[in-house]
Amino acid sequence: MNLDQFLDRIWAKTYTCNEFTCEVWQHITGEDLTQRLQDFLNGTGSFIPIDTPESPCIALFNRKNADSHVGIFFEGRLLHLTQKGAHYVQLEIMQGGFQQPRFYK
């Protein structure tokens, strides 16, 4: 599956990594993740944690003194949105400024 159509997305106050992740997840799986992800990030919902990434799965990154960052692990790479735009990169590249990612189904 080609996800290049998402690489033109731009971060905005109303379209962050959360909305981006939901849009891509729905494209890949057909599931609307919006409420489930919002509940999870607010501490009221849950996903199933997995030890190693599976395609597709949710990748959650934490930074010290910053909000969580979320993306999708798909076919060996991470698709995510930052203030610099959308990126589809090897997971190792992404881990630079973040603590160890956690993966969820």
Side-chain angles (χ1 to χ4, degrees), residues 74-90:
F74 185 71
E75 296 183 353
R77 298 190 292 168
L78 179 73
L79 183 60
H80 68 112
L81 182 69
T82 71
Q83 291 182 354
K84 295 181 181 180
H87 305 275
Y88 196 25
V89 297
Q90 296 294 323

Side-chain angles (χ1 to χ4, degrees), residues 16-100:
T16 67
C17 61
N18 298 351
E19 290 79 19
F20 179 78
T21 296
C22 292
E23 180 183 14
V24 174
W25 186 265
Q26 186 159 16
H27 177 78
I28 294 171
T29 69
E31 177 189 2
D32 183 355
L33 195 65
T34 306
Q35 189 62 53
R36 189 173 168 208
L37 181 60
Q38 182 179 349
D39 291 347
F40 177 73
L41 294 174
N42 289 329
T44 60
S46 65
F47 283 97
I48 299 168
I50 55 177
D51 293 330
T52 56
E54 302 171 8
S55 183
C57 69
I58 303 298
L60 183 65
F61 295 83
N62 290 319
R63 292 181 279 199
K64 292 182 181 179
N65 304 318
D67 291 335
S68 296
H69 180 66
V70 64
I72 294 182
F73 181 83
F74 185 71
E75 296 183 353
R77 298 190 292 168
L78 179 73
L79 183 60
H80 68 112
L81 182 69
T82 71
Q83 291 182 354
K84 295 181 181 180
H87 305 275
Y88 196 25
V89 297
Q90 296 294 323
L91 189 57
E92 295 78 24
I93 293 171
M94 177 62 191
Q95 292 173 326
F98 295 89
Q99 296 176 3
Q100 185 65 27

